[in-house]
Amino acid sequence: MSSTGSGYSATDIITFIGIPLAVLGVLPILYNTVATLAALSKIKRMLRHGRLTALTRSDVVNRVIEVELPRYAVTPCDRFEETELYWRPSRQPSSIPGGSWTTFNWQTRAIGAKTQRVEYADQLRQPQVDVAFDKLIAYLLDLGAIPDAHGWKLLRSTGLWTPTGCSLLKSPDGQHEALTIAPLDDSDGHLSLKANWSSHWTTRDFSSLPPYWVRLLPPPQPEPSEITRGVGPEETPSSAQGEAEEGDIEKGKEKRHSSLHKESLDSIQKQAENNSRATITCQISVEGLISAKSQEDEAVGSPINLQNLYIEHLRIRPGKTDGIWFSSVATAYGTTSQTVLWNYKIPDEILNFARRDSLPCGILVLLGVVDASQTPEWATNYNGQEEARDLFFRRSADQRAAIMAESKMTPPQREIAARDRMQREMNQRLQDMRDHSRLENQRRETRTSEALQSPKWDTKLVAEHNLHWLKRNQELAIASGVNITSDTTLRDVVGSLLHRMILDGQFASSICKMLDLWKSWADNGGMRRSDLEALREDQVVFALASLLVALVKDTSTAHEGTLSLDLQECLQMWKIVRLG
């Protein structure tokens, strides 16, 4: 082994230099290992705090941590079944960015997973959840949030270009932001939102009417005398039942079957009577009526004793307009009260029909709803009394002339002439009656034609006159199942009609058929004689239908560009959004 003049060999020099270099080369690996393990520990602690299940993998050499988190689709808890979870925020919300949705309790469904590669713990992002936009807004509004008109107007006009942090909903005091626009990092082209809520912000409870719901009060009950008039005496058990022979088994079975059948019918009738006196709340979504529940008045503020009602006859279906008419009128009924329905949009053709002047005023005169003096001049005036007087004078003059001529005749000739005169006068009277009848028919046809061509009135004016007519003819309204008193308002009647339409499918069908008929002649150039005959056959139904149209007209005259329209457009533009 050779040595240098310094006394160190080449091996020693290599050792002195190589070992420190080797140590320096290992230090980054050690640092990466320590830093990765520390970041992984912090990430797991964040996941445990947020009660999140995730798969974690780490590469200590490259200082990379892989976190696989599930992605969820969520929907708010059931307001009627999960009352405590619905009104209470989550006790342990996640603090990870993108997890603002964990502020609330949800019904969740896993729809996939997302893998993230991070280096530091603060780079971790919780996947946003998919949620129906209308359900999210309804939930926050139900808790007490208030819409920000500027935010919704900006979202409607700019869409995904809306600035991050723009407020859509605020806390009840208006000082904090409850729902804002979030960055589009994890949105995949969806609208991205961020939620914020505090337990003391909740200002509503179960007794409050939820958004998109309408409360329909029961119609006033008729007088007790009218109720008892249609109720027959109760059937009493036959005395022969107690005297039946013990061996007559078949007869006993028939009686038991009849008794059970009678009890079943009594139970159904009792339930129907209870529903007719109960308050009904119905939910209106973008697709129309989706739920209706009845509840006794004394239990309106309680989540118990709720009963789902049959609503299949009022669902929106292809080829049928019953559901569209009901949802449109119910939306108008809710929009004009303190409860604002923002998600269902009344079809434009119905709004245009409600705005249009479509009913000739002369038709209301023919139906006896208004007096001719209340309408503009539209009919030809005939002086029937003058014509009858002229005819009477002419016939009297002819008779006097014939009698004078008979007085100059011999008795045999006078008798023959008088007999001929009497026969001639009888024929003239018959002919005059036929002429009068034909003239009256012609004038009636002319009057009908003129009525069909008379000036058209708007639906609001038609409804006002029909309401007065119903109040004057209360017996006709009660016979049709509608109790209208002298102090009943148009809104009260419409609420009662919607209440009955849910419970009585046949009544709902008759109302909607009349509305279809009315809209048909309004869209096709005017009313025809067949339409007039249909109104005469069901005049009460027509009067009630006009009240529904008038309420829709009130809604159609709302200010354009209002908060409700902005919200409505946005909810239709984005069905599913990302929340996080």
Side-chain angles (χ1 to χ4, degrees):
M1 179 180 296
S2 61
S3 60
T4 62
S6 61
Y8 293 103
S9 64
T11 303
D12 294 336
I13 295 175
I14 293 173
T15 301
F16 293 153
I17 299 174
I19 289 177
L21 290 176
V23 172
L24 290 175
V26 173
L27 283 179
I29 298 176
L30 295 176
Y31 176 77
N32 287 346
T33 301
V34 174
T36 302
L37 293 177
L40 180 61
S41 176
K42 186 176 181 181
I43 288 174
K44 288 184 177 180
R45 188 164 57 252
M46 293 168 62
L47 295 174
R48 285 195 303 269
H49 182 269
R51 293 185 177 181
L52 302 175
T53 58
L55 296 178
T56 57
R57 295 180 292 271
S58 60
D59 184 351
V60 295
V61 176
N62 296 319
R63 197 175 174 181
V64 174
I65 302 174
E66 287 189 356
V67 182
E68 183 177 321
L69 283 166
R71 185 184 291 277
Y72 296 102
V74 300
T75 186
C77 294
D78 189 275
R79 191 181 197 265
F80 304 97
E81 301 294 337
E82 302 170 293
T83 306
E84 184 177 357
L85 296 177
Y86 184 89
W87 298 104
R88 186 192 67 200
S90 176
R91 294 180 178 177
Q92 284 188 314
S94 173
S95 60
I96 302 175
S100 66
W101 62 273
T102 59
T103 304
F104 307 101
N105 299 296
W106 303 91
Q107 295 177 352
T108 60
R109 177 172 58 88
I111 57 174
K114 181 180 180 181
T115 301
Q116 303 176 59
R117 296 170 63 89
V118 299
E119 186 175 352
Y120 302 101
D122 55 6
Q123 294 177 331
L124 182 64
R125 295 290 184 271
Q126 188 169 342
Q128 292 182 313
V129 294
D130 292 351
V131 59
F133 199 14
D134 59 336
K135 292 184 178 180
L136 172 64
I137 299 302
Y139 180 41
L140 294 178
L141 291 176
D142 202 10
L143 294 180
I146 56 177
D148 189 330
H150 174 71
W152 286 104
K153 184 177 182 179
L154 193 62
L155 177 62
R156 179 186 179 186
S157 58
T158 59
L160 294 178
W161 297 100
T162 306
T164 301
C166 178
S167 174
L168 299 180
L169 297 177
K170 289 184 174 293
S171 59
D173 58 5
Q175 302 298 319
H176 303 85
E177 297 174 344
L179 187 67
T180 57
I181 302 295
L184 300 175
D185 300 337
D186 188 34
S187 62
D188 297 331
H190 294 76
L191 180 63
S192 182
L193 303 174
K194 180 181 179 181
N196 179 39
W197 197 259
S198 178
S199 58
H200 66 273
W201 291 354
T202 304
T203 57
R204 292 161 53 89
D205 53 22
F206 184 85
S207 61
S208 305
L209 188 65
Y212 312 157
W213 287 72
V214 178
R215 178 171 291 152
L216 304 175
L217 299 178
Q221 298 296 322
E223 295 297 328
S225 59
E226 297 175 355
I227 298 177
T228 56
R229 190 181 304 162
V231 179
E234 293 187 2
E235 297 183 7
T236 57
S238 174
S239 59
Q241 182 176 359
E243 301 174 357
E245 297 181 359
E246 296 180 358
D248 197 351
I249 300 177
E250 293 297 329
K251 186 175 181 180
K253 289 182 178 180
E254 291 179 0
K255 289 184 178 181
R256 285 193 297 270
H257 178 74
S258 176
S259 177
L260 292 175
H261 180 67
K262 181 178 181 298
E263 292 177 0
S264 177
L265 292 178
D266 291 343
S267 176
I268 295 174
Q269 183 178 2
K270 183 178 180 181
Q271 182 62 46
E273 293 176 354
N274 291 337
N275 289 337
S276 65
R277 295 191 296 267
T279 299
I280 295 179
T281 53
C282 51
Q283 183 181 9
I284 311 294
S285 74
V286 179
E287 293 80 16
L289 179 65
I290 61 174
S291 176
K293 300 177 182 293
S294 68
Q295 193 172 32
E296 296 295 337
D297 291 341
E298 60 269 13
V300 169
S302 172
I304 60 175
N305 296 330
L306 289 171
Q307 295 183 356
N308 290 316
L309 299 176
Y310 180 82
I311 59 170
E312 294 302 320
H313 60 291
L314 294 177
R315 290 189 183 274
I316 296 180
R317 302 182 185 279
K320 293 198 66 176
T321 61
D322 294 14
I324 297 176
W325 282 116
F326 180 86
S327 300
S328 299
V329 177
T331 298
Y333 182 80
T335 302
T336 52
S337 66
Q338 295 181 352
T339 302
V340 181
L341 298 176
W342 281 315
N343 55 348
Y344 182 79
K345 186 178 187 301
I346 301 176
D348 292 336
E349 58 269 19
I350 291 183
L351 290 177
N352 294 334
F353 160 66
R355 296 189 186 106
R356 192 180 307 148
D357 298 344
S358 56
L359 187 72
C361 62
I363 298 299
L364 295 178
V365 177
L366 297 184
L367 295 176
V369 177
V370 299
D371 189 76
S373 59
Q374 299 176 271
T375 64
E377 191 70 26
W378 57 270
T380 303
N381 292 322
Y382 300 99
N383 195 341
Q385 294 181 352
E386 184 69 24
E387 294 176 355
R389 186 165 54 253
D390 291 343
L391 179 62
F392 174 76
F393 289 154
R394 190 166 57 252
R395 297 303 184 207
S396 298
D398 293 343
Q399 185 181 37
R400 285 195 300 271
I403 293 175
M404 291 180 63
E406 292 173 3
S407 64
K408 300 177 182 180
M409 298 179 183
T410 60
Q413 292 176 337
R414 186 185 306 121
E415 183 179 355
I416 296 174
R419 187 167 55 248
D420 293 340
R421 176 178 55 80
M422 294 176 61
Q423 183 66 34
R424 186 171 59 253
E425 290 176 352
M426 181 179 297
N427 292 336
Q428 286 178 346
R429 283 194 294 271
L430 293 176
Q431 185 62 37
D432 290 342
M433 292 176 60
R434 286 193 291 267
D435 292 342
H436 178 73
S437 178
R438 182 171 61 253
L439 183 61
E440 287 295 322
N441 290 334
Q442 291 176 353
R443 290 178 176 176
R444 191 179 301 110
E445 292 295 321
T446 301
R447 185 175 175 81
T448 301
S449 300
E450 292 174 340
L452 293 172
Q453 301 301 322
S454 60
K456 295 180 175 62
W457 278 358
D458 72 309
T459 54
K460 185 66 178 295
L461 185 57
V462 173
E464 291 175 355
H465 285 291
N466 274 327
L467 182 59
H468 291 314
W469 180 82
L470 288 171
K471 292 179 179 180
R472 293 196 308 267
N473 299 271
Q474 292 187 13
E475 64 281 357
L476 294 177
I478 294 177
S480 299
V482 181
N483 186 21
I484 298 179
T485 60
S486 58
D487 57 345
T488 304
T489 64
L490 187 145
R491 272 188 58 80
D492 295 336
V493 180
V494 171
S496 300
L497 294 179
L498 293 174
H499 188 283
R500 186 181 173 190
M501 288 175 71
I502 293 178
L503 301 177
D504 190 343
Q506 185 176 1
F507 175 75
S509 178
S510 63
I511 286 281
C512 295
K513 285 181 179 178
M514 183 61 69
L515 292 170
D516 288 335
L517 177 67
W518 190 352
K519 183 175 179 297
S520 176
W521 85 60
D523 294 338
N524 296 328
M527 194 174 184
R528 299 169 299 182
R529 293 178 181 271
S530 59
D531 301 326
L532 174 58
E533 294 302 322
L535 299 191
R536 282 173 171 161
E537 292 177 2
D538 292 320
Q539 186 171 349
V540 175
V541 174
F542 166 68
L544 298 176
S546 67
L547 307 182
L548 304 183
V549 179
L551 196 65
V552 175
K553 183 180 186 298
D554 288 342
T555 304
S556 68
T557 56
H559 298 292
E560 295 295 331
T562 59
L563 170 62
S564 60
L565 294 179
D566 292 336
L567 247 170
Q568 197 174 82
E569 291 292 333
C570 292
L571 293 179
Q572 290 184 345
M573 193 179 305
W574 291 284
K575 303 294 185 182
I576 302 295
V577 297
R578 291 284 174 86
L579 179 63

